[in-house]
PDB file of all heavy atoms in Angstrom:
ATOM      1  N   ALA A   1      65.708 123.858 204.342  1.00 92.00           N
ATOM      2  CA  ALA A   1      66.625 122.795 203.910  1.00 92.00           C
ATOM      3  C   ALA A   1      68.080 123.233 204.045  1.00 92.00           C
ATOM      4  O   ALA A   1      68.957 122.418 204.326  1.00 92.00           O
ATOM      5  CB  ALA A   1      66.318 122.380 202.474  1.00 92.00           C
ATOM      6  N   VAL A   2      68.319 124.514 203.863  1.00 91.00           N
ATOM      7  CA  VAL A   2      69.677 125.054 203.970  1.00 91.00           C
ATOM      8  C   VAL A   2      70.044 125.364 205.422  1.00 91.00           C
ATOM      9  O   VAL A   2      71.158 125.098 205.864  1.00 91.00           O
ATOM     10  CB  VAL A   2      69.821 126.330 203.100  1.00 91.00           C
ATOM     11  CG1 VAL A   2      71.138 127.040 203.354  1.00 91.00           C
ATOM     12  CG2 VAL A   2      69.673 125.985 201.627  1.00 91.00           C
ATOM     13  N   ASP A   3      69.079 125.911 206.190  1.00 89.00           N
ATOM     14  CA  ASP A   3      69.357 126.452 207.523  1.00 89.00           C
ATOM     15  C   ASP A   3      69.157 125.498 208.697  1.00 89.00           C
ATOM     16  O   ASP A   3      69.728 125.704 209.754  1.00 89.00           O
ATOM     17  CB  ASP A   3      68.459 127.671 207.801  1.00 89.00           C
ATOM     18  CG  ASP A   3      68.706 128.811 206.834  1.00 89.00           C
ATOM     19  OD1 ASP A   3      69.777 128.853 206.212  1.00 89.00           O
ATOM     20  OD2 ASP A   3      67.807 129.668 206.712  1.00 89.00           O
ATOM     21  N   LYS A   4      68.309 124.498 208.552  1.00 92.00           N
ATOM     22  CA  LYS A   4      67.904 123.688 209.706  1.00 92.00           C
ATOM     23  C   LYS A   4      68.522 122.296 209.668  1.00 92.00           C
ATOM     24  O   LYS A   4      68.329 121.542 208.721  1.00 92.00           O
ATOM     25  CB  LYS A   4      66.370 123.544 209.758  1.00 92.00           C
ATOM     26  CG  LYS A   4      65.617 124.862 209.715  1.00 92.00           C
ATOM     27  CD  LYS A   4      65.942 125.742 210.905  1.00 92.00           C
ATOM     28  CE  LYS A   4      65.145 127.032 210.847  1.00 92.00           C
ATOM     29  NZ  LYS A   4      65.574 127.995 211.817  1.00 92.00           N
ATOM     30  N   VAL A   5      69.229 121.945 210.737  1.00 94.00           N
ATOM     31  CA  VAL A   5      69.876 120.632 210.795  1.00 94.00           C
ATOM     32  C   VAL A   5      68.847 119.504 210.847  1.00 94.00           C
ATOM     33  O   VAL A   5      69.150 118.371 210.473  1.00 94.00           O
ATOM     34  CB  VAL A   5      70.841 120.526 211.999  1.00 94.00           C
ATOM     35  CG1 VAL A   5      71.990 121.504 211.853  1.00 94.00           C
ATOM     36  CG2 VAL A   5      70.122 120.739 213.314  1.00 94.00           C
ATOM     37  N   TRP A   6      67.626 119.800 211.292  1.00 94.00           N
ATOM     38  CA  TRP A   6      66.583 118.781 211.398  1.00 94.00           C
ATOM     39  C   TRP A   6      65.842 118.551 210.084  1.00 94.00           C
ATOM     40  O   TRP A   6      65.031 117.630 209.991  1.00 94.00           O
ATOM     41  CB  TRP A   6      65.589 119.125 212.509  1.00 94.00           C
ATOM     42  CG  TRP A   6      65.058 120.536 212.473  1.00 94.00           C
ATOM     43  CD1 TRP A   6      65.502 121.581 213.220  1.00 94.00           C
ATOM     44  CD2 TRP A   6      63.998 121.043 211.649  1.00 94.00           C
ATOM     45  NE1 TRP A   6      64.778 122.717 212.915  1.00 94.00           N
ATOM     46  CE2 TRP A   6      63.844 122.414 211.947  1.00 94.00           C
ATOM     47  CE3 TRP A   6      63.163 120.486 210.689  1.00 94.00           C
ATOM     48  CZ2 TRP A   6      62.898 123.225 211.337  1.00 94.00           C
ATOM     49  CZ3 TRP A   6      62.210 121.304 210.072  1.00 94.00           C
ATOM     50  CH2 TRP A   6      62.099 122.658 210.401  1.00 94.00           C
ATOM     51  N   TRP A   7      66.094 119.348 209.054  1.00 94.00           N
ATOM     52  CA  TRP A   7      65.340 119.233 207.806  1.00 94.00           C
ATOM     53  C   TRP A   7      65.340 117.814 207.210  1.00 94.00           C
ATOM     54  O   TRP A   7      64.298 117.355 206.730  1.00 94.00           O
ATOM     55  CB  TRP A   7      65.821 120.248 206.774  1.00 94.00           C
ATOM     56  CG  TRP A   7      65.028 120.149 205.506  1.00 94.00           C
ATOM     57  CD1 TRP A   7      65.405 119.563 204.338  1.00 94.00           C
ATOM     58  CD2 TRP A   7      63.679 120.592 205.294  1.00 94.00           C
ATOM     59  NE1 TRP A   7      64.400 119.625 203.408  1.00 94.00           N
ATOM     60  CE2 TRP A   7      63.321 120.255 203.976  1.00 94.00           C
ATOM     61  CE3 TRP A   7      62.735 121.237 206.086  1.00 94.00           C
ATOM     62  CZ2 TRP A   7      62.071 120.539 203.426  1.00 94.00           C
ATOM     63  CZ3 TRP A   7      61.497 121.533 205.544  1.00 94.00           C
ATOM     64  CH2 TRP A   7      61.177 121.171 204.221  1.00 94.00           C
ATOM     65  N   PRO A   8      66.447 117.067 207.235  1.00 95.00           N
ATOM     66  CA  PRO A   8      66.422 115.704 206.659  1.00 95.00           C
ATOM     67  C   PRO A   8      65.418 114.768 207.333  1.00 95.00           C
ATOM     68  O   PRO A   8      65.030 113.750 206.756  1.00 95.00           O
ATOM     69  CB  PRO A   8      67.856 115.207 206.867  1.00 95.00           C
ATOM     70  CG  PRO A   8      68.672 116.459 206.903  1.00 95.00           C
ATOM     71  CD  PRO A   8      67.800 117.474 207.604  1.00 95.00           C
ATOM     72  N   GLU A   9      64.942 115.111 208.534  1.00 95.00           N
ATOM     73  CA  GLU A   9      63.944 114.286 209.221  1.00 95.00           C
ATOM     74  C   GLU A   9      62.552 114.441 208.617  1.00 95.00           C
ATOM     75  O   GLU A   9      61.686 113.598 208.847  1.00 95.00           O
ATOM     76  CB  GLU A   9      63.864 114.676 210.695  1.00 95.00           C
ATOM     77  CG  GLU A   9      65.119 114.459 211.497  1.00 95.00           C
ATOM     78  CD  GLU A   9      64.953 114.966 212.915  1.00 95.00           C
ATOM     79  OE1 GLU A   9      64.007 114.525 213.598  1.00 95.00           O
ATOM     80  OE2 GLU A   9      65.773 115.810 213.336  1.00 95.00           O
ATOM     81  N   VAL A  10      62.309 115.529 207.867  1.00 94.00           N
ATOM     82  CA  VAL A  10      60.973 115.817 207.347  1.00 94.00           C
ATOM     83  C   VAL A  10      60.573 114.775 206.305  1.00 94.00           C
ATOM     84  O   VAL A  10      61.262 114.549 205.323  1.00 94.00           O
ATOM     85  CB  VAL A  10      60.901 117.236 206.733  1.00 94.00           C
ATOM     86  CG1 VAL A  10      59.536 117.487 206.104  1.00 94.00           C
ATOM     87  CG2 VAL A  10      61.220 118.291 207.783  1.00 94.00           C
ATOM     88  N   ALA A  11      59.425 114.118 206.574  1.00 93.00           N
ATOM     89  CA  ALA A  11      58.908 113.098 205.655  1.00 93.00           C
ATOM     90  C   ALA A  11      57.503 113.429 205.174  1.00 93.00           C
ATOM     91  O   ALA A  11      57.014 112.833 204.220  1.00 93.00           O
ATOM     92  CB  ALA A  11      58.904 111.736 206.345  1.00 93.00           C
ATOM     93  N   ASP A  12      56.835 114.380 205.858  1.00 91.00           N
ATOM     94  CA  ASP A  12      55.451 114.694 205.522  1.00 91.00           C
ATOM     95  C   ASP A  12      55.191 116.158 205.851  1.00 91.00           C
ATOM     96  O   ASP A  12      55.794 116.718 206.773  1.00 91.00           O
ATOM     97  CB  ASP A  12      54.502 113.805 206.334  1.00 91.00           C
ATOM     98  CG  ASP A  12      53.045 114.045 205.973  1.00 91.00           C
ATOM     99  OD1 ASP A  12      52.712 113.996 204.769  1.00 91.00           O
ATOM    100  OD2 ASP A  12      52.246 114.295 206.888  1.00 91.00           O
ATOM    101  N   LEU A  13      54.302 116.776 205.077  1.00 89.00           N
ATOM    102  CA  LEU A  13      53.930 118.153 205.356  1.00 89.00           C
ATOM    103  C   LEU A  13      52.469 118.360 205.032  1.00 89.00           C
ATOM    104  O   LEU A  13      51.882 117.634 204.238  1.00 89.00           O
ATOM    105  CB  LEU A  13      54.800 119.133 204.560  1.00 89.00           C
ATOM    106  CG  LEU A  13      54.844 118.970 203.035  1.00 89.00           C
ATOM    107  CD1 LEU A  13      53.768 119.814 202.374  1.00 89.00           C
ATOM    108  CD2 LEU A  13      56.202 119.392 202.542  1.00 89.00           C
ATOM    109  N   SER A  14      51.886 119.354 205.694  1.00 89.00           N
ATOM    110  CA  SER A  14      50.497 119.711 205.408  1.00 89.00           C
ATOM    111  C   SER A  14      50.378 121.228 205.375  1.00 89.00           C
ATOM    112  O   SER A  14      51.175 121.934 205.984  1.00 89.00           O
ATOM    113  CB  SER A  14      49.554 119.121 206.458  1.00 89.00           C
ATOM    114  OG  SER A  14      49.851 119.650 207.732  1.00 89.00           O
ATOM    115  N   LEU A  15      49.387 121.711 204.633  1.00 89.00           N
ATOM    116  CA  LEU A  15      49.150 123.151 204.461  1.00 89.00           C
ATOM    117  C   LEU A  15      47.723 123.500 204.821  1.00 89.00           C
ATOM    118  O   LEU A  15      46.802 122.739 204.532  1.00 89.00           O
ATOM    119  CB  LEU A  15      49.340 123.550 202.991  1.00 89.00           C
ATOM    120  CG  LEU A  15      50.728 123.668 202.440  1.00 89.00           C
ATOM    121  CD1 LEU A  15      50.671 123.901 200.946  1.00 89.00           C
ATOM    122  CD2 LEU A  15      51.478 124.794 203.110  1.00 89.00           C
ATOM    123  N   GLU A  16      47.556 124.678 205.404  1.00 90.00           N
ATOM    124  CA  GLU A  16      46.233 125.237 205.665  1.00 90.00           C
ATOM    125  C   GLU A  16      46.327 126.719 205.300  1.00 90.00           C
ATOM    126  O   GLU A  16      47.152 127.439 205.856  1.00 90.00           O
ATOM    127  CB  GLU A  16      45.891 125.067 207.149  1.00 90.00           C
ATOM    128  CG  GLU A  16      44.533 125.536 207.542  1.00 90.00           C
ATOM    129  CD  GLU A  16      44.257 125.300 209.029  1.00 90.00           C
ATOM    130  OE1 GLU A  16      45.067 124.649 209.710  1.00 90.00           O
ATOM    131  OE2 GLU A  16      43.219 125.794 209.492  1.00 90.00           O
ATOM    132  N   TRP A  17      45.502 127.183 204.360  1.00 90.00           N
ATOM    133  CA  TRP A  17      45.591 128.559 203.865  1.00 90.00           C
ATOM    134  C   TRP A  17      44.664 129.492 204.624  1.00 90.00           C
ATOM    135  O   TRP A  17      43.548 129.122 204.980  1.00 90.00           O
ATOM    136  CB  TRP A  17      45.260 128.606 202.382  1.00 90.00           C
ATOM    137  CG  TRP A  17      46.360 128.064 201.537  1.00 90.00           C
ATOM    138  CD1 TRP A  17      46.468 126.791 201.055  1.00 90.00           C
ATOM    139  CD2 TRP A  17      47.529 128.749 201.091  1.00 90.00           C
ATOM    140  NE1 TRP A  17      47.618 126.646 200.340  1.00 90.00           N
ATOM    141  CE2 TRP A  17      48.294 127.849 200.342  1.00 90.00           C
ATOM    142  CE3 TRP A  17      48.008 130.054 201.257  1.00 90.00           C
ATOM    143  CZ2 TRP A  17      49.501 128.193 199.754  1.00 90.00           C
ATOM    144  CZ3 TRP A  17      49.211 130.399 200.670  1.00 90.00           C
ATOM    145  CH2 TRP A  17      49.947 129.472 199.933  1.00 90.00           C
ATOM    146  N   PHE A  18      45.139 130.724 204.832  1.00 91.00           N
ATOM    147  CA  PHE A  18      44.366 131.782 205.469  1.00 91.00           C
ATOM    148  C   PHE A  18      44.353 132.994 204.545  1.00 91.00           C
ATOM    149  O   PHE A  18      45.270 133.192 203.748  1.00 91.00           O
ATOM    150  CB  PHE A  18      44.974 132.150 206.826  1.00 91.00           C
ATOM    151  CG  PHE A  18      44.849 131.040 207.832  1.00 91.00           C
ATOM    152  CD1 PHE A  18      45.809 130.038 207.893  1.00 91.00           C
ATOM    153  CD2 PHE A  18      43.758 130.978 208.670  1.00 91.00           C
ATOM    154  CE1 PHE A  18      45.691 128.996 208.794  1.00 91.00           C
ATOM    155  CE2 PHE A  18      43.625 129.938 209.584  1.00 91.00           C
ATOM    156  CZ  PHE A  18      44.588 128.953 209.640  1.00 91.00           C
ATOM    157  N   ASP A  19      43.304 133.815 204.674  1.00 89.00           N
ATOM    158  CA  ASP A  19      43.151 134.985 203.811  1.00 89.00           C
ATOM    159  C   ASP A  19      44.112 136.111 204.150  1.00 89.00           C
ATOM    160  O   ASP A  19      44.357 136.985 203.329  1.00 89.00           O
ATOM    161  CB  ASP A  19      41.725 135.535 203.888  1.00 89.00           C
ATOM    162  CG  ASP A  19      40.724 134.611 203.225  1.00 89.00           C
ATOM    163  OD1 ASP A  19      41.122 133.823 202.352  1.00 89.00           O
ATOM    164  OD2 ASP A  19      39.538 134.693 203.581  1.00 89.00           O
ATOM    165  N   SER A  20      44.654 136.122 205.358  1.00 90.00           N
ATOM    166  CA  SER A  20      45.546 137.211 205.755  1.00 90.00           C
ATOM    167  C   SER A  20      46.687 136.677 206.606  1.00 90.00           C
ATOM    168  O   SER A  20      46.585 135.618 207.221  1.00 90.00           O
ATOM    169  CB  SER A  20      44.779 138.276 206.537  1.00 90.00           C
ATOM    170  OG  SER A  20      44.391 137.773 207.794  1.00 90.00           O
ATOM    171  N   LYS A  21      47.750 137.460 206.644  1.00 89.00           N
ATOM    172  CA  LYS A  21      48.905 137.079 207.447  1.00 89.00           C
ATOM    173  C   LYS A  21      48.555 137.071 208.934  1.00 89.00           C
ATOM    174  O   LYS A  21      48.989 136.197 209.670  1.00 89.00           O
ATOM    175  CB  LYS A  21      50.068 138.033 207.181  1.00 89.00           C
ATOM    176  CG  LYS A  21      51.327 137.651 207.902  1.00 89.00           C
ATOM    177  CD  LYS A  21      52.483 138.539 207.524  1.00 89.00           C
ATOM    178  CE  LYS A  21      53.735 138.113 208.264  1.00 89.00           C
ATOM    179  NZ  LYS A  21      54.881 138.964 207.920  1.00 89.00           N
ATOM    180  N   SER A  22      47.743 138.044 209.386  1.00 88.00           N
ATOM    181  CA  SER A  22      47.406 138.096 210.808  1.00 88.00           C
ATOM    182  C   SER A  22      46.613 136.861 211.235  1.00 88.00           C
ATOM    183  O   SER A  22      46.819 136.332 212.328  1.00 88.00           O
ATOM    184  CB  SER A  22      46.649 139.376 211.152  1.00 88.00           C
ATOM    185  OG  SER A  22      45.446 139.461 210.441  1.00 88.00           O
ATOM    186  N   GLU A  23      45.718 136.369 210.377  1.00 91.00           N
ATOM    187  CA  GLU A  23      44.982 135.144 210.696  1.00 91.00           C
ATOM    188  C   GLU A  23      45.931 133.951 210.776  1.00 91.00           C
ATOM    189  O   GLU A  23      45.812 133.107 211.667  1.00 91.00           O
ATOM    190  CB  GLU A  23      43.912 134.873 209.642  1.00 91.00           C
ATOM    191  CG  GLU A  23      42.762 135.852 209.684  1.00 91.00           C
ATOM    192  CD  GLU A  23      41.825 135.708 208.487  1.00 91.00           C
ATOM    193  OE1 GLU A  23      42.257 135.258 207.407  1.00 91.00           O
ATOM    194  OE2 GLU A  23      40.652 136.055 208.655  1.00 91.00           O
ATOM    195  N   ALA A  24      46.877 133.878 209.841  1.00 91.00           N
ATOM    196  CA  ALA A  24      47.845 132.776 209.842  1.00 91.00           C
ATOM    197  C   ALA A  24      48.753 132.844 211.072  1.00 91.00           C
ATOM    198  O   ALA A  24      49.056 131.810 211.672  1.00 91.00           O
ATOM    199  CB  ALA A  24      48.673 132.799 208.558  1.00 91.00           C
ATOM    200  N   LEU A  25      49.179 134.049 211.453  1.00 90.00           N
ATOM    201  CA  LEU A  25      50.020 134.208 212.643  1.00 90.00           C
ATOM    202  C   LEU A  25      49.297 133.725 213.899  1.00 90.00           C
ATOM    203  O   LEU A  25      49.876 133.031 214.739  1.00 90.00           O
ATOM    204  CB  LEU A  25      50.439 135.664 212.818  1.00 90.00           C
ATOM    205  CG  LEU A  25      51.569 136.145 211.926  1.00 90.00           C
ATOM    206  CD1 LEU A  25      51.657 137.672 211.951  1.00 90.00           C
ATOM    207  CD2 LEU A  25      52.891 135.531 212.357  1.00 90.00           C
ATOM    208  N   ALA A  26      48.022 134.086 214.018  1.00 90.00           N
ATOM    209  CA  ALA A  26      47.245 133.662 215.183  1.00 90.00           C
ATOM    210  C   ALA A  26      47.086 132.139 215.190  1.00 90.00           C
ATOM    211  O   ALA A  26      47.214 131.500 216.242  1.00 90.00           O
ATOM    212  CB  ALA A  26      45.889 134.357 215.190  1.00 90.00           C
ATOM    213  N   ALA A  27      46.821 131.557 214.034  1.00 92.00           N
ATOM    214  CA  ALA A  27      46.675 130.101 213.939  1.00 92.00           C
ATOM    215  C   ALA A  27      47.998 129.403 214.249  1.00 92.00           C
ATOM    216  O   ALA A  27      48.014 128.348 214.899  1.00 92.00           O
ATOM    217  CB  ALA A  27      46.177 129.710 212.548  1.00 92.00           C
ATOM    218  N   GLU A  28      49.103 129.987 213.791  1.00 91.00           N
ATOM    219  CA  GLU A  28      50.421 129.417 214.078  1.00 91.00           C
ATOM    220  C   GLU A  28      50.680 129.402 215.584  1.00 91.00           C
ATOM    221  O   GLU A  28      51.104 128.384 216.144  1.00 91.00           O
ATOM    222  CB  GLU A  28      51.506 130.231 213.368  1.00 91.00           C
ATOM    223  CG  GLU A  28      52.922 129.765 213.684  1.00 91.00           C
ATOM    224  CD  GLU A  28      53.978 130.710 213.146  1.00 91.00           C
ATOM    225  OE1 GLU A  28      53.758 131.939 213.156  1.00 91.00           O
ATOM    226  OE2 GLU A  28      55.035 130.216 212.720  1.00 91.00           O
ATOM    227  N   ARG A  29      50.407 130.519 216.247  1.00 90.00           N
ATOM    228  CA  ARG A  29      50.616 130.611 217.686  1.00 90.00           C
ATOM    229  C   ARG A  29      49.776 129.563 218.427  1.00 90.00           C
ATOM    230  O   ARG A  29      50.287 128.849 219.295  1.00 90.00           O
ATOM    231  CB  ARG A  29      50.271 132.026 218.168  1.00 90.00           C
ATOM    232  CG  ARG A  29      50.531 132.267 219.633  1.00 90.00           C
ATOM    233  CD  ARG A  29      50.303 133.716 220.072  1.00 90.00           C
ATOM    234  NE  ARG A  29      49.028 134.263 219.647  1.00 90.00           N
ATOM    235  CZ  ARG A  29      48.873 135.166 218.653  1.00 90.00           C
ATOM    236  NH1 ARG A  29      49.914 135.620 217.999  1.00 90.00           N
ATOM    237  NH2 ARG A  29      47.672 135.604 218.331  1.00 90.00           N
ATOM    238  N   ARG A  30      48.498 129.426 218.044  1.00 91.00           N
ATOM    239  CA  ARG A  30      47.628 128.434 218.674  1.00 91.00           C
ATOM    240  C   ARG A  30      48.146 127.014 218.429  1.00 91.00           C
ATOM    241  O   ARG A  30      48.169 126.182 219.342  1.00 91.00           O
ATOM    242  CB  ARG A  30      46.202 128.552 218.153  1.00 91.00           C
ATOM    243  CG  ARG A  30      45.443 129.759 218.667  1.00 91.00           C
ATOM    244  CD  ARG A  30      43.971 129.706 218.304  1.00 91.00           C
ATOM    245  NE  ARG A  30      43.720 129.557 216.885  1.00 91.00           N
ATOM    246  CZ  ARG A  30      43.591 130.563 216.016  1.00 91.00           C
ATOM    247  NH1 ARG A  30      43.704 131.803 216.434  1.00 91.00           N
ATOM    248  NH2 ARG A  30      43.352 130.329 214.742  1.00 91.00           N
ATOM    249  N   ALA A  31      48.555 126.723 217.188  1.00 92.00           N
ATOM    250  CA  ALA A  31      49.031 125.375 216.838  1.00 92.00           C
ATOM    251  C   ALA A  31      50.294 125.017 217.615  1.00 92.00           C
ATOM    252  O   ALA A  31      50.418 123.899 218.133  1.00 92.00           O
ATOM    253  CB  ALA A  31      49.281 125.283 215.331  1.00 92.00           C
ATOM    254  N   ILE A  32      51.222 125.951 217.711  1.00 92.00           N
ATOM    255  CA  ILE A  32      52.475 125.665 218.430  1.00 92.00           C
ATOM    256  C   ILE A  32      52.198 125.412 219.899  1.00 92.00           C
ATOM    257  O   ILE A  32      52.709 124.451 220.493  1.00 92.00           O
ATOM    258  CB  ILE A  32      53.494 126.803 218.232  1.00 92.00           C
ATOM    259  CG1 ILE A  32      53.944 126.852 216.768  1.00 92.00           C
ATOM    260  CG2 ILE A  32      54.693 126.632 219.165  1.00 92.00           C
ATOM    261  CD1 ILE A  32      54.744 128.093 216.394  1.00 92.00           C
ATOM    262  N   ARG A  33      51.351 126.246 220.493  1.00 91.00           N
ATOM    263  CA  ARG A  33      51.034 126.072 221.915  1.00 91.00           C
ATOM    264  C   ARG A  33      50.294 124.761 222.172  1.00 91.00           C
ATOM    265  O   ARG A  33      50.551 124.084 223.163  1.00 91.00           O
ATOM    266  CB  ARG A  33      50.220 127.257 222.418  1.00 91.00           C
ATOM    267  CG  ARG A  33      51.050 128.508 222.556  1.00 91.00           C
ATOM    268  CD  ARG A  33      50.240 129.676 223.045  1.00 91.00           C
ATOM    269  NE  ARG A  33      51.106 130.840 223.224  1.00 91.00           N
ATOM    270  CZ  ARG A  33      50.661 132.072 223.299  1.00 91.00           C
ATOM    271  NH1 ARG A  33      49.373 132.327 223.227  1.00 91.00           N
ATOM    272  NH2 ARG A  33      51.505 133.071 223.455  1.00 91.00           N
ATOM    273  N   ALA A  34      49.377 124.399 221.291  1.00 92.00           N
ATOM    274  CA  ALA A  34      48.560 123.200 221.508  1.00 92.00           C
ATOM    275  C   ALA A  34      49.276 121.911 221.116  1.00 92.00           C
ATOM    276  O   ALA A  34      49.061 120.870 221.738  1.00 92.00           O
ATOM    277  CB  ALA A  34      47.252 123.318 220.718  1.00 92.00           C
ATOM    278  N   GLU A  35      50.132 121.967 220.088  1.00 93.00           N
ATOM    279  CA  GLU A  35      50.708 120.744 219.526  1.00 93.00           C
ATOM    280  C   GLU A  35      52.176 120.520 219.879  1.00 93.00           C
ATOM    281  O   GLU A  35      52.713 119.449 219.630  1.00 93.00           O
ATOM    282  CB  GLU A  35      50.513 120.764 218.003  1.00 93.00           C
ATOM    283  CG  GLU A  35      49.049 120.847 217.609  1.00 93.00           C
ATOM    284  CD  GLU A  35      48.843 121.173 216.137  1.00 93.00           C
ATOM    285  OE1 GLU A  35      49.593 120.621 215.301  1.00 93.00           O
ATOM    286  OE2 GLU A  35      47.950 121.978 215.841  1.00 93.00           O
ATOM    287  N   SER A  36      52.855 121.513 220.427  1.00 93.00           N
ATOM    288  CA  SER A  36      54.249 121.417 220.880  1.00 93.00           C
ATOM    289  C   SER A  36      55.196 120.766 219.877  1.00 93.00           C
ATOM    290  O   SER A  36      55.801 119.723 220.154  1.00 93.00           O
ATOM    291  CB  SER A  36      54.326 120.662 222.210  1.00 93.00           C
ATOM    292  OG  SER A  36      53.564 121.318 223.186  1.00 93.00           O
ATOM    293  N   PRO A  37      55.370 121.351 218.697  1.00 95.00           N
ATOM    294  CA  PRO A  37      56.320 120.776 217.744  1.00 95.00           C
ATOM    295  C   PRO A  37      57.749 120.798 218.306  1.00 95.00           C
ATOM    296  O   PRO A  37      58.125 121.723 219.013  1.00 95.00           O
ATOM    297  CB  PRO A  37      56.198 121.683 216.514  1.00 95.00           C
ATOM    298  CG  PRO A  37      55.454 122.886 216.957  1.00 95.00           C
ATOM    299  CD  PRO A  37      54.750 122.574 218.229  1.00 95.00           C
TER     300      PRO A  37
END
């Protein structure tokens, strides 16, 4: 909210929890590549 000029556009968010940071990092990489935010 402080750093990103696009933050005011955010209207919805979703969460998916992982047991470890490495699992979350891998899922993040896959999501970005597949979904092109």
Side-chain angles (χ1 to χ4, degrees):
V2 171
D3 298 340
K4 307 298 181 190
V5 296
W6 49 261
W7 181 257
E9 297 176 56
V10 176
D12 183 52
L13 56 91
S14 62
L15 284 173
E16 183 179 353
W17 286 95
F18 293 86
D19 290 336
S20 69
K21 184 175 180 180
S22 61
E23 290 171 333
L25 282 166
E28 176 189 36
R29 184 175 50 254
R30 287 189 305 271
I32 293 169
R33 287 180 177 162
E35 301 167 41
S36 301

